[in-house]
Amino acid sequence: MTPRKRLIIIASAALLGLIALFAALKPWTDKAPEAANSVAIYDDALVMDLPLTAWSADEEARRNEIEVDAERGPILQVGDADPLLLTPTHPALKLSNWRVISDDSITQVVSDGMWNDAPAVARWHFTAHNPQAYFSLKISKFPVNQLRQNIALKLPFPEGALQLPSPAKGVEAQAAIWADDLGLERLSVSNWSGDAFQVAGQIPNSEEARELLLSLWPASAHLESETCADTLVLDLEMNFMLTIGAATPASVWPYADGSLAALTPIFGLPAEHSDPQIAEAAAPDARRWLLRAHTLVYGHSDPSDPRYGNGGLLGYDLGATIIVPAAFGEDPAIQDFAQKLDQTRVELAPAFDPTKPGDAYQGSSHVLRNTDCAQLSALAERRIPAAIITQSAPDEAAKRPVHQGPANWPLVVLPEGFDGRLQSLRLKGFDPSALGPLLEAHQTRVFSAPFVATRNPLIGAAHESLLHPERGGHWTVSTRLGGVMANLELWREESPIMVSSVAEMAQHRASIQQVKTWWRGPQQLQILNPMESTIQGFTLAIEGEWEASAKGSEGRLSRRVITGGKGRLNQPTTLIWWDLKPGLEQIDINPSITAARAQAKPGAPATVRWEITAP
């Protein structure tokens, strides 16, 4: 390309991104991209991180001018507002040598740089006639110890108002929308790959905001960043999509199958409980512990008993995590049981050194005493889905029981500890009166209660036993616990709450963290699942009340409308869920015939015309 040559293209809208740890998307093919081992530093060549396609040309499309500055990158002229520097900034990020690469309908604006001493590549991706632009920042060998600090990229906006519409109360906003002084929506940033959006630069005594903070990793909320060794590094990616013009926000919902909240019970170790009477209820050997675990899972310890399989956690379709004592973790029978449960909603989580080799608990969460970063790194290397931290957590971190880190980094879970009384487990853990507020706020609760079971009626823990002893060394679930499990099963028929193990929750969150979504045109959304496996019960949240369909979707798409969200104009939110297969899928969004008020078509962004000027 000759200097100062004008490239006229039509490009851009908003999409989901992800942080990639030890992973980066390869150029798109007709199959889902596979993970690379490290972040590549690219030369002047087009890199297709996403299968964004060109839109139809429109002579009436608004013209948007971008001038690429060699040192500052692309600068956008938005109407009569001041020019907008598109690339977010950070004190540690130094980018330069911006240049333009184009081929047919694709134009990319690329820069090499550094994040402190780590090599970095920034890339803007524009596609002809598509009003959506994709930005990615890839950092090679990012020092993990820098995660001890709050990391947030900063994106300034012209005068106007900046909104963070949430799909529902209690759910983080996945879009930031900037409107000009006349209230016209001009730009939106969507599906940031990091932790959250935040607004900074608020103008006193006004609703105007000047800066959007794209928070990657707030150290105060992520305990795993506290003890990271200086020698650990990772390959990191940060990305988002920028939309020109107005668009109906579409968000990835955090819960599967359109559930409105999540409950994750953990049955912990009596021997480590602070109450010595509870500690007396610990199983004396691996064989007897396994009998107890079978009972909690299936309702009885004897497979020949007719009650086996008709009660317990799986009998009532409840998920949970059962922690295996460290002394029993390598017992072959317990490992076989762990593998048997691998495809169910219940898991056995080992409490031993995560750096030890072994695949018996490959799909299970692991228990850590503290947030040692080397152990977390070992879990990440083995693709362990989650780490359950049993130490006491600072109050600020304990407000968030689940901490989502970079992709392929284990989910870090800080459970609320119960006092060991059966009544506490019943009333605080499983009773609908305690779970109702979770549904209203769309929250996740993770609790840990000691797995108390004893055959000795003379010790204090006998009154808190979850199991009832029977002849021949066998057990059945206590009447009090069995009753509350049955009640919860019935309540869930009308109250959609996920009850899962830590591993199931972590695997679902890790899967949806990889998903990307964007508008293909009026009433059409595209969703990309870049992995090789289907995401069961994938749920999309769209502002407003809509119907949805897809090719071959008869009976495949489900829908629920919720109210009381934090979106714009007090609109309801529609949840749409289905099993999302690998690759690219398109769904059509149409106005609902049952909506209380008439709705137009969903607000897909309009075609725009770019004029991009190279340095």
Side-chain angles (χ1 to χ4, degrees):
M1 175 184 297
T2 59
R4 310 299 298 176
K5 182 178 180 180
R6 284 189 174 273
L7 304 168
I8 301 179
I9 67 170
I10 309 166
S12 172
L15 149 65
L16 195 77
L18 75 155
I19 306 172
L21 164 62
F22 310 122
L25 294 179
K26 288 183 177 181
W28 175 257
T29 65
D30 59 343
K31 298 177 65 177
E34 300 176 355
N37 292 326
S38 63
V39 172
I41 303 300
Y42 299 104
D43 295 324
D44 286 356
L46 292 174
V47 177
M48 296 301 294
D49 285 331
L50 293 174
L52 292 175
T53 56
W55 286 25
S56 299
D58 184 353
E59 294 182 358
E60 302 298 323
R62 179 190 300 170
R63 186 182 71 173
N64 287 274
E65 298 179 64
I66 287 183
E67 182 171 342
V68 180
D69 184 279
E71 297 301 317
R72 297 188 297 163
I75 301 172
L76 171 67
Q77 180 67 51
V78 186
D80 297 329
D82 294 334
L84 176 64
L85 185 65
L86 289 183
T87 305
T89 61
H90 187 277
L93 179 62
K94 307 299 180 185
L95 297 172
S96 61
N97 189 29
W98 285 93
R99 60 234 184 241
V100 175
I101 310 167
S102 65
D103 180 19
D104 296 330
S105 63
I106 298 171
T107 295
Q108 295 184 352
V109 184
V110 188
S111 171
D112 302 319
M114 305 289 289
W115 184 287
N116 289 331
D117 296 327
V121 170
R123 184 177 300 266
W124 280 98
H125 178 112
F126 301 93
T127 306
H129 314 302
N130 190 328
Q132 300 163 117
Y134 178 67
F135 172 78
S136 69
L137 175 65
K138 300 180 181 182
I139 307 171
S140 181
K141 298 181 180 179
F142 183 92
V144 176
N145 63 1
Q146 293 185 22
L147 296 179
R148 302 176 198 175
Q149 307 168 4
N150 289 340
I151 297 176
L153 302 182
K154 182 184 297 185
L155 191 60
F157 285 88
E159 293 184 3
L162 190 60
Q163 303 177 40
L164 302 180
S166 168
K169 178 182 178 182
V171 179
E172 290 282 356
Q174 295 184 27
I177 300 173
W178 172 71
D180 63 17
D181 289 337
L182 299 178
L184 299 176
E185 294 179 7
R186 291 299 188 91
L187 295 171
S188 67
V189 176
S190 177
N191 300 313
W192 160 237
S193 62
D195 187 81
F197 288 123
Q198 297 174 346
V199 174
Q202 198 79 19
I203 305 303
N205 303 318
S206 79
E207 296 182 354
E208 294 187 2
R210 289 291 183 267
E211 295 172 345
L212 175 67
L213 296 182
L214 300 103
S215 176
L216 167 67
W217 184 278
S220 60
H222 292 276
L223 292 186
E224 62 266 40
S225 66
E226 288 189 354
T227 55
C228 294
D230 293 344
T231 56
L232 291 174
V233 297
L234 57 88
D235 292 335
L236 192 65
E237 179 178 347
M238 295 175 259
N239 51 54
F240 61 85
M241 289 197 71
L242 180 75
T243 303
I244 303 298
T248 298
S251 306
V252 175
W253 189 251
Y255 309 118
D257 298 314
S259 296
L260 301 184
L263 176 69
T264 302
I266 300 174
F267 293 92
L269 305 177
E272 297 185 0
H273 199 272
S274 57
D275 187 341
Q277 294 188 79
I278 297 298
E280 288 185 87
D285 55 56
R287 182 187 67 82
R288 283 182 275 190
W289 183 89
L290 185 57
L291 286 174
R292 300 177 189 195
H294 268 278
T295 307
L296 184 60
V297 173
Y298 295 115
H300 201 278
S301 57
D302 184 359
S304 65
D305 190 285
R307 292 167 290 181
Y308 187 90
N310 291 315
L313 293 166
L314 291 183
Y316 293 115
D317 192 29
L318 303 176
T321 293
I322 305 173
I323 296 178
V324 182
F328 308 153
E330 298 185 40
D331 180 84
I334 293 178
Q335 291 187 350
D336 288 345
F337 188 40
Q339 293 178 326
K340 179 181 178 181
L341 294 175
D342 191 48
Q343 300 302 316
T344 73
R345 311 199 83 167
V346 177
E347 67 162 339
L348 301 187
F352 58 82
D353 186 352
T355 61
K356 297 178 66 173
D359 296 324
Y361 302 97
Q362 184 63 32
S364 298
S365 309
H366 281 49
V367 179
L368 300 182
R369 298 290 180 265
N370 52 52
T371 54
D372 180 84
C373 198
Q375 290 187 326
L376 284 165
S377 181
L379 294 183
E381 187 173 356
R382 294 176 54 199
R383 296 297 190 264
I384 300 301
I388 302 168
I389 308 300
T390 57
Q391 70 174 9
S392 297
D395 292 340
E396 188 173 356
K399 293 176 183 177
R400 293 177 56 181
V402 176
H403 302 291
Q404 186 87 42
N408 298 325
W409 194 254
L411 190 77
V412 173
V413 176
L414 305 170
E416 175 187 0
F418 286 177
D419 58 16
R421 294 184 302 146
L422 179 54
Q423 183 178 10
S424 298
L425 175 61
R426 293 169 58 209
L427 298 182
K428 296 172 60 179
F430 290 141
D431 193 88
S433 63
L435 302 180
L438 291 183
L439 290 178
E440 295 175 4
H442 308 298
Q443 293 293 292
T444 297
R445 173 176 293 166
V446 183
F447 70 79
S448 177
F451 184 11
V452 178
T454 179
R455 308 183 74 86
N456 185 351
L458 301 179
I459 64 173
H463 301 289
E464 315 300 344
S465 182
L466 309 186
L467 310 180
H468 179 74
E470 294 192 344
R471 292 181 178 179
H474 286 294
W475 301 83
T476 187
V477 173
S478 74
T479 303
R480 291 187 292 170
L481 180 59
V484 79
M485 286 182 174
N487 185 42
L488 178 56
E489 180 189 36
L490 292 174
W491 182 74
R492 291 178 66 210
E493 292 180 0
E494 301 295 333
S495 305
I497 184 172
M498 284 181 62
V499 184
S500 67
S501 67
V502 171
E504 182 183 7
M505 173 181 63
Q507 288 161 355
H508 183 74
R509 285 178 176 252
S511 296
I512 65 176
Q513 187 184 19
Q514 309 266 0
V515 171
K516 299 171 170 61
T517 179
W518 61 91
W519 288 100
R520 176 64 183 87
Q523 298 180 256
Q524 295 179 340
L525 274 172
Q526 286 189 317
I527 300 96
L528 172 65
N529 174 6
M531 299 178 300
E532 297 181 354
S533 58
T534 296
I535 302 176
Q536 303 294 326
F538 172 79
T539 304
L540 199 64
I542 305 177
E543 183 181 273
E545 188 170 348
W546 311 102
E547 303 283 351
S549 62
K551 184 178 179 180
S553 66
E554 295 78 7
R556 190 165 67 91
L557 300 185
S558 299
R559 165 184 177 272
R560 173 181 292 119
V561 177
I562 58 176
T563 58
K566 294 176 64 179
R568 300 167 297 172
L569 304 177
N570 297 316
Q571 290 198 69
T573 294
T574 300
L575 301 183
I576 302 165
W577 66 94
W578 72 102
D579 294 340
L580 181 61
K581 297 178 180 179
L584 191 64
E585 184 159 358
Q586 179 173 297
I587 63 173
D588 297 328
I589 309 297
N590 302 295
S592 172
I593 60 175
T594 62
R597 56 184 177 181
Q599 291 191 115
K601 296 178 181 180
T607 299
V608 299
R609 185 175 64 178
W610 295 102
E611 293 186 359
I612 299 180
T613 303

